[in-house]
């Protein structure tokens, strides 16, 4: 059985780039770490919250790459020879977490609070636009 893409729907024109973006995101390797929440804060705004205990602001980077919000975490290398862990249950591994952004969604501020990284997103409400296309007569000129 072959996979049906958006191109299989004749009324969906120009969505091939979106299909590629969704496929790339599905393959991006988000393995569940770090855990996160997405909450809707209004009709046109959202907040992504990632649990990043043990990471400081300088250990994290937030970028927008080809309509994807990418959050990366990498802790600075500390001198492990000085520390002896009897149990190490707090994850300190590097991570990358990606979120696809729809057209018109803008990233607002990012805030660290109590081991949580909050990233605010908003979409401007587009004005309703009606455009009339003139029809010219074909045939001999």
């Amino acid at each position: 059985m072959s996979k049906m893409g958006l191109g299989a729907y004749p009324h969906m024109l120009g969505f091939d780039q979106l299909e590629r973006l969704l496929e790339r995101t599905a393959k991006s390797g988000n393995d569940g770490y770090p855990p996160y929440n997405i909450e809707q804060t209004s009709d046109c705004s959202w907040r992504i919250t990632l649990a990043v205990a043990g990471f400081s602001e300088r250990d994290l980077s937030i970028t927008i790459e080809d309509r994807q919000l990418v959050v990366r975490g990498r802790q600075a290398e500390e001198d492990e020879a000085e520390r002896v862990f009897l149990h190490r249950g707090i994850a300190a591994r590097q991570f990358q977490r990606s979120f696809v952004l729809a057209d018109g969604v803008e990233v607002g501020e990012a805030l660290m609070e109590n081991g949580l990284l909050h990233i605010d997103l908003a979409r401007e409400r587009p004005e309703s636009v009606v455009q009339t296309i003139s029809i010219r007569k074909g045939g001999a000129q």
Side-chain angles (χ1 to χ4, degrees):
M1 181 174 195
S2 65
K3 180 183 118 187
M4 283 185 49
L6 292 175
Y9 300 95
H11 56 280
M12 302 287 286
L13 302 175
F15 284 92
D16 51 330
Q17 182 180 1
L18 176 62
E19 186 174 17
R20 285 192 302 272
L21 181 63
L22 290 172
E23 286 175 1
R24 190 176 75 225
T25 301
K27 296 176 187 176
S28 68
N30 286 336
D31 64 354
Y33 178 77
Y36 66 93
N37 292 336
I38 301 175
E39 66 180 295
Q40 186 163 6
T41 54
S42 76
D43 286 344
C44 293
S45 63
W46 306 268
R47 172 173 268 190
I48 298 172
T49 301
L50 291 97
V52 291
F55 288 85
S56 70
E57 292 87 347
R58 68 182 172 277
D59 296 331
L60 301 169
S61 71
I62 303 170
T63 58
I64 299 171
E65 303 170 12
D66 193 23
R67 292 180 29 206
Q68 283 188 351
L69 172 67
V70 180
V71 181
R72 292 183 179 92
R74 177 182 215 127
Q75 291 183 325
E77 299 292 325
E78 295 182 21
D79 188 9
E80 292 293 325
E82 296 177 15
R83 301 175 78 184
V84 177
F85 290 96
L86 300 180
H87 172 77
R88 190 165 188 174
I90 299 173
R93 66 182 194 242
Q94 68 182 11
F95 68 87
Q96 176 175 311
R97 172 74 65 185
S98 301
F99 303 90
V100 176
L101 301 177
D103 284 337
V105 173
E106 298 292 328
V107 177
E109 73 173 353
L111 169 72
M112 276 285 279
E113 178 181 52
N114 300 322
L116 299 174
L117 174 63
H118 302 289
I119 304 170
D120 292 324
L121 309 169
R123 178 189 346 226
E124 294 289 324
R125 290 186 185 258
E127 293 181 25
S128 179
V129 177
V130 176
Q131 184 179 4
T132 303
I133 309 299
S134 63
I135 302 171
R136 69 182 181 104
K137 187 174 183 174
Q141 293 190 11

